[in-house]
Amino acid sequence: MTLAIHGLAVSRGVAIGRAVLVASSRVDVAHYFIDAADIEKEIQRLRDARDSVIDEIKRLLESVGQMGPKEAPHELAALLEVHLMLVQDEEISAGVKHWIQERLYNAEWALTTQLEIIARQFDEMEDEYLRERKADLEQIAERILRALHGAGSDLTGHHPARTHRKPSQQDLLLDDTVDVPLVLIAHDLSPADMLQFKQSVFAGFITDVGGKTSHTAIVARSMDIPAVVGARTASQLVRQDDWVIIDGDAGVVIVDPSPIILAEYGFKQRQMELERSRLARLLHTPAVTMDGEPVQLLANIEMPDDAPAALKAGALGVGLFRSEFLFMGRQGQLPDEEEQYQAYKLAIEGMQGLPVTIRTVDVGADKPLDHSVRDAAHLNPALGLRAIRWSLADPAMFQTQLRAILRAAAHGKVNLLIPMLAHSGEIRQTLQNLQAARDALDRRGQAYGPVRLGAMIEIPAAAVAVGMFLKHFDFLSIGTNDLIQYTLAIDRADESVAHLYDPLHPAVLQLVAHTIAQARAQGKEVCVCGEMAGDTSLTRMLLGMGLRSFSMHPAQILAVKQEVLRADTQKLAPWAQRVIASEDPQREMLGTA
Ligand code: PEP
Ligand code: MG
């Protein structure tokens, strides 16, 4: 039966494919396709792993048998017996084999997929004892995964990024097996999890939790694949392997669609492809408004190897390199100076002489360092030790990053951007740290380059007291995602208050306009690098405020350029003033410029 689930539209487009349900804790399990010729080999790999777990449990049982009741209570042996039974269960093995044979999943992926199906059956059981066996099943899976890891699971030579052909109407009706797109469904995905999927097989994402500008949503947008977050119960309502449609524009997930709905969405997909190819014609057109104002369109990137795609999308530089993605999901092993230097250098070289704005690390809140460790220790992590606060609290880490960036700056034009500043003391300490990093490199006799220093304006206090920042920094970059979050007291990652997250709130518009006006008055460059910059419905408004530099996901650049080409800033300026002063900017915006 067709079912529609509503969530938040966070990344545009339509994806049609089969559901792959992944428990958040299992996201870092390798997902790749094997060659059809390797099916037997993969099944054997699984068999070997299973056999070694069986041996391990049998050995444990034996040693438990030799212990007295005090050292090894009777329950322990019983538990191990249950584990042995589960690991030898033919039905489970047959299920796992099915995913390998029919879908060409690698063993780890096949195992966790089957586990999700069984875990669900356990959840539905009336009998509490049986329901609790789910934990045993998970422990078994964990043991087998470890054994598989030992047996050399490895992505090389496989197809983590195999491109799927689009399914034809007939495919979808005939219920074919391999070679159809897959969409990922999880309760939650951290930004670090998302990085795992960046090179992956999935054509779209759905999560139960998350807000429009949560970092999970931001990474989905940067991957330019359809995504819906905040879909609340999606991971419970959708079953493994169901056909689903993700409508990333409307924020709707359609489960088990009828042929008529499929046809409609197939049409929509083709329309979007047409629109893309139409926009592609603007690639080499300079972004200049009708009244001759040049506008700088820059890219936001997460990893150094995103740079070539940014260039290809027509970006005239990187306006925001979120360096924290180099630090995440590494189980506490932070990248050292050399590794960071190489990463920044790669991004700089990737941009072929165009400027790269590297933001110092911004972890905390919805960007934990490690995807398995959520910050439960602090009540309000978004108001806690985040971004520059974190850097200043760990001077050795900050110094390492600053030295790496300065060294990389010898290879091209680099802007150094500091996130979440609010206090003059933080400005002072940042400048001292930068000087200390230069001094250290001088002492070492190591080459480094000049950097332009920028401050992110993303705390309302910083926007109000922007003069303080203009005095010490070469440029400003407005982080509207956080500016909105902190101005309106709305957790950007919380779907339950997502309806109150409003870029057009008069207070937000006034803070943005004030920052732009003050920077322009002092002849300093100002950019917007939050999600507002890539939202085409806001381009005219920002141009009217005097903004001439926008940094966004590369996929948005041409659509924003189209808006720029149609704009006349002379007319937009008085119109924008009216909108900003209005009690209902949304309504006022409908009036003509
Ligand atoms: C912002 O806050 O708008 C921003 C660009 O930074 P981030 O989204 O990484 O917090
Ligand atoms: Mg921010």
Side-chain angles (χ1 to χ4, degrees), residues 213-215 218 300 302 320 322 324-325 359 362 366-367 386 417 419-420 456-458 477-486 492 501 528-532 551:
T213 57
S214 62
H215 285 90
I218 287 176
N300 291 355
E302 278 91 38
L320 174 65
R322 289 182 162 98
E324 56 273 13
F325 281 86
R359 178 175 72 181
D362 177 7
D366 73 327
K367 274 183 292 191
R386 222 196 113 176
L417 183 60
M420 269 198 83
M456 281 199 78
I457 303 297
E458 50 185 348
S477 191
I478 309 176
T480 50
N481 305 336
D482 279 315
L483 189 62
I484 298 169
Q485 149 162 283
Y486 296 126
R492 62 194 266 192
Y501 187 94
V528 167
C529 63
E531 298 300 294
M532 279 177 81
S551 191

Coordinates of all heavy atoms in Angstrom, one line a residue, residues 213-215 218 300 302 320 322 324-325 359 362 366-367 386 417 419-420 456-458 477-486 492 501 528-532 551, ligand 1:
T213 N 19.2 23.0 8.4 CA 20.6 23.4 8.3 C 21.4 22.6 9.3 O 22.5 23.0 9.7 CB 20.8 24.9 8.5 OG1 20.3 25.2 9.8 CG2 20.2 25.7 7.5
S214 N 21.0 21.4 9.7 CA 21.8 20.5 10.4 C 23.0 20.1 9.5 O 22.8 20.2 8.3 CB 21.0 19.2 10.9 OG 20.6 18.5 9.7
H215 N 24.1 19.7 10.1 CA 25.2 19.5 9.2 C 25.0 18.2 8.3 O 25.6 18.1 7.3 CB 26.5 19.4 10.0 CG 26.9 20.8 10.4 ND1 26.5 21.4 11.6 CD2 27.6 21.7 9.7 CE1 27.0 22.6 11.6 NE2 27.7 22.9 10.5
I218 N 23.4 19.6 5.4 CA 24.3 20.4 4.6 C 25.2 19.4 3.7 O 25.5 19.7 2.6 CB 25.2 21.3 5.5 CG1 24.3 22.4 6.0 CG2 26.4 21.8 4.8 CD1 25.0 23.3 7.0
N300 N 31.3 26.2 -1.1 CA 31.6 25.6 0.2 C 32.0 24.2 0.0 O 31.4 23.5 -0.8 CB 30.3 25.6 1.1 CG 29.8 27.0 1.5 OD1 30.5 28.0 1.2 ND2 28.7 27.0 2.1
E302 N 33.8 20.5 1.9 CA 34.1 19.8 3.2 C 35.4 19.1 3.2 O 36.0 18.9 4.2 CB 33.0 18.7 3.5 CG 31.7 19.3 4.1 CD 30.7 19.7 3.0 OE1 30.6 19.0 2.0 OE2 30.1 20.7 3.2
L320 N 34.3 28.8 1.7 CA 34.3 28.1 3.0 C 34.7 26.7 2.9 O 34.1 25.9 2.3 CB 32.9 28.2 3.6 CG 32.6 27.4 4.9 CD1 33.4 28.0 6.1 CD2 31.2 27.4 5.3
R322 N 35.2 23.8 5.3 CA 34.9 23.4 6.6 C 35.9 22.4 7.1 O 35.7 21.2 7.0 CB 33.5 22.8 6.7 CG 32.3 23.8 6.5 CD 31.0 23.1 6.7 NE 29.9 24.0 6.9 CZ 29.1 24.4 6.0 NH1 29.2 24.0 4.7 NH2 28.1 25.2 6.3
E324 N 36.8 21.1 9.7 CA 36.6 20.2 10.8 C 36.3 18.8 10.3 O 36.4 17.8 11.0 CB 35.4 20.6 11.7 CG 34.1 20.9 11.0 CD 34.0 22.3 10.4 OE1 35.0 23.0 10.4 OE2 32.9 22.8 10.0
F325 N 35.9 18.7 9.0 CA 35.6 17.3 8.4 C 36.9 16.5 8.4 O 36.8 15.3 8.3 CB 34.9 17.4 7.1 CG 33.4 17.7 7.3 CD1 33.0 19.0 7.4 CD2 32.5 16.7 7.4 CE1 31.6 19.3 7.6 CE2 31.2 17.0 7.6 CZ 30.7 18.3 7.7
R359 N 38.5 27.6 6.9 CA 38.0 28.0 8.3 C 38.6 27.1 9.3 O 38.7 25.8 9.1 CB 36.4 27.8 8.3 CG 35.9 28.1 9.7 CD 34.4 28.0 9.7 NE 33.9 26.7 9.6 CZ 32.6 26.4 9.6 NH1 31.7 27.3 9.7 NH2 32.2 25.1 9.6
D362 N 35.7 23.7 13.4 CA 34.4 24.1 14.1 C 33.7 22.8 14.5 O 32.8 22.4 13.8 CB 33.6 24.9 13.2 CG 32.2 25.3 13.8 OD1 32.0 25.0 14.9 OD2 31.3 25.8 13.0
D366 N 26.2 19.9 16.7 CA 25.8 18.8 15.9 C 26.9 18.2 15.0 O 26.7 17.4 14.1 CB 24.6 19.1 15.1 CG 24.8 20.0 13.9 OD1 25.7 20.9 14.1 OD2 24.2 19.9 12.8
K367 N 28.2 18.7 15.3 CA 29.3 18.1 14.6 C 30.3 17.5 15.6 O 31.4 18.1 15.9 CB 30.1 19.2 13.8 CG 29.5 19.5 12.5 CD 30.3 20.5 11.7 CE 30.1 21.9 12.4 NZ 30.6 23.0 11.5
R386 N 32.5 25.2 21.4 CA 32.4 25.0 20.0 C 33.4 25.9 19.3 O 33.7 27.0 19.7 CB 31.0 25.3 19.6 CG 30.3 24.4 18.7 CD 29.1 25.0 18.0 NE 29.3 25.2 16.6 CZ 28.5 25.7 15.8 NH1 27.3 26.0 16.2 NH2 28.7 25.8 14.5
L417 N 39.8 31.9 8.0 CA 38.5 32.3 8.6 C 38.3 31.7 10.0 O 38.5 30.5 10.2 CB 37.4 31.8 7.6 CG 36.0 32.2 8.0 CD1 35.8 33.8 8.0 CD2 35.0 31.7 6.9
P419 N 35.8 30.8 13.1 CA 34.3 30.7 13.4 C 33.9 31.1 14.8 O 34.7 31.0 15.7 CB 34.1 29.2 13.2 CG 35.4 28.6 13.6 CD 36.5 29.6 13.2
M420 N 32.7 31.6 14.9 CA 32.0 31.8 16.2 C 32.7 32.8 17.1 O 32.7 32.5 18.3 CB 31.8 30.5 16.9 CG 30.5 29.8 16.5 SD 30.0 28.6 17.7 CE 29.3 29.5 19.0
M456 N 34.1 35.1 11.1 CA 32.7 34.7 10.8 C 31.8 35.5 11.7 O 32.0 35.6 13.0 CB 32.5 33.2 11.0 CG 33.0 32.4 9.9 SD 32.3 30.7 9.8 CE 30.7 31.0 9.1
I457 N 30.7 36.0 11.2 CA 29.7 36.7 12.0 C 28.5 35.7 12.0 O 27.8 35.6 11.1 CB 29.3 38.1 11.3 CG1 30.6 38.9 11.1 CG2 28.3 38.8 12.1 CD1 31.3 39.3 12.4
E458 N 28.4 35.0 13.1 CA 27.4 34.0 13.2 C 26.7 34.0 14.6 O 25.9 33.2 14.9 CB 27.9 32.7 12.8 CG 29.1 32.2 13.4 CD 29.6 30.9 12.8 OE1 28.9 30.2 12.1 OE2 30.8 30.5 13.1
S477 N 32.7 37.0 7.0 CA 31.8 36.0 6.4 C 30.6 35.7 7.3 O 30.8 35.4 8.5 CB 32.7 34.8 6.1 OG 31.9 33.9 5.2
I478 N 29.4 35.9 6.8 CA 28.3 35.8 7.6 C 27.8 34.4 7.6 O 27.4 33.8 6.5 CB 27.1 36.8 7.2 CG1 27.7 38.2 7.1 CG2 26.0 36.7 8.2 CD1 26.6 39.2 6.5
G479 N 27.8 33.7 8.7 CA 27.3 32.3 8.8 C 25.9 32.4 9.3 O 25.5 32.4 10.4
T480 N 25.0 32.4 8.3 CA 23.6 32.6 8.6 C 23.0 31.4 9.3 O 22.0 31.6 10.0 CB 22.8 33.0 7.3 OG1 23.1 32.0 6.3 CG2 23.1 34.3 6.8
N481 N 23.5 30.2 9.1 CA 22.9 29.0 9.7 C 22.9 29.2 11.2 O 21.9 29.0 11.9 CB 23.7 27.8 9.3 CG 23.9 27.6 7.9 OD1 23.0 28.1 7.1 ND2 24.9 26.9 7.4
D482 N 24.1 29.6 11.7 CA 24.2 29.8 13.2 C 23.6 31.1 13.6 O 23.0 31.2 14.7 CB 25.6 29.7 13.6 CG 26.1 28.3 13.8 OD1 25.3 27.5 14.4 OD2 27.2 27.9 13.3
L483 N 23.7 32.1 12.7 CA 23.1 33.4 13.1 C 21.6 33.3 13.3 O 21.1 33.8 14.3 CB 23.4 34.5 12.0 CG 23.1 35.9 12.4 CD1 23.9 36.4 13.6 CD2 23.3 36.8 11.2
I484 N 21.0 32.5 12.5 CA 19.5 32.3 12.7 C 19.3 31.5 14.0 O 18.4 31.8 14.8 CB 18.9 31.6 11.4 CG1 19.1 32.4 10.2 CG2 17.4 31.2 11.7 CD1 18.8 31.7 8.9
Q485 N 20.1 30.4 14.1 CA 19.9 29.5 15.3 C 20.0 30.4 16.6 O 19.2 30.2 17.5 CB 21.0 28.5 15.2 CG 21.5 27.9 16.6 CD 22.2 26.6 16.5 OE1 21.5 25.6 16.4 NE2 23.5 26.6 16.6
Y486 N 21.1 31.2 16.7 CA 21.3 31.9 17.9 C 20.4 33.2 18.1 O 20.0 33.6 19.2 CB 22.8 32.3 18.0 CG 23.7 31.1 18.1 CD1 24.8 31.0 17.2 CD2 23.5 30.1 19.1 CE1 25.6 29.9 17.3 CE2 24.3 29.0 19.1 CZ 25.4 28.9 18.3 OH 26.2 27.8 18.3
R492 N 19.2 24.3 15.3 CA 19.2 24.1 13.9 C 19.0 22.6 13.5 O 18.7 22.3 12.4 CB 20.4 24.7 13.2 CG 21.7 24.1 13.6 CD 22.9 25.0 13.2 NE 23.4 24.6 11.9 CZ 24.6 25.0 11.4 NH1 25.3 25.9 12.0 NH2 25.0 24.5 10.3
Y501 N 12.4 28.1 12.4 CA 13.8 28.5 11.9 C 13.5 29.3 10.6 O 13.3 28.8 9.6 CB 14.6 27.2 11.6 CG 16.0 27.4 11.2 CD1 17.0 27.4 12.2 CD2 16.4 27.7 9.9 CE1 18.3 27.6 11.8 CE2 17.7 28.0 9.6 CZ 18.6 27.9 10.5 OH 20.0 28.2 10.2
V528 N 28.4 36.0 2.4 CA 27.5 35.1 3.2 C 27.9 33.7 2.8 O 27.9 33.4 1.6 CB 26.0 35.4 2.9 CG1 25.1 34.3 3.4 CG2 25.6 36.7 3.5
C529 N 28.1 32.9 3.8 CA 28.5 31.5 3.5 C 27.5 30.5 4.1 O 27.7 29.3 4.0 CB 29.9 31.2 3.9 SG 30.2 31.3 5.7
G530 N 26.5 31.0 4.8 CA 25.5 30.1 5.3 C 24.5 29.6 4.2 O 24.7 30.1 3.0
E531 N 23.6 28.8 4.5 CA 22.7 28.2 3.5 C 21.9 29.3 2.7 O 21.4 29.1 1.6 CB 21.7 27.2 4.1 CG 22.5 26.0 4.7 CD 23.3 25.3 3.7 OE1 22.7 24.7 2.7 OE2 24.5 25.3 3.8
M532 N 21.7 30.5 3.3 CA 20.9 31.6 2.7 C 21.6 31.9 1.4 O 20.9 32.3 0.4 CB 20.9 32.8 3.6 CG 19.8 32.7 4.7 SD 19.8 34.2 5.7 CE 18.9 35.4 4.8
S551 N 28.8 32.4 -0.9 CA 29.5 31.1 -0.9 C 28.5 30.0 -0.6 O 27.8 30.1 0.4 CB 30.7 31.1 0.1 OG 31.4 29.9 -0.2
Ligands
PEP1 C1 26.9 29.0 9.3 O1 26.8 28.9 10.5 O2 26.1 29.6 8.5 C2 28.1 28.3 8.6 C3 28.4 28.6 7.4 O3 28.8 27.5 9.4 P1 28.3 26.0 9.7 O4 27.1 25.7 9.0 O5 29.4 25.1 9.4 O6 28.1 26.1 11.2

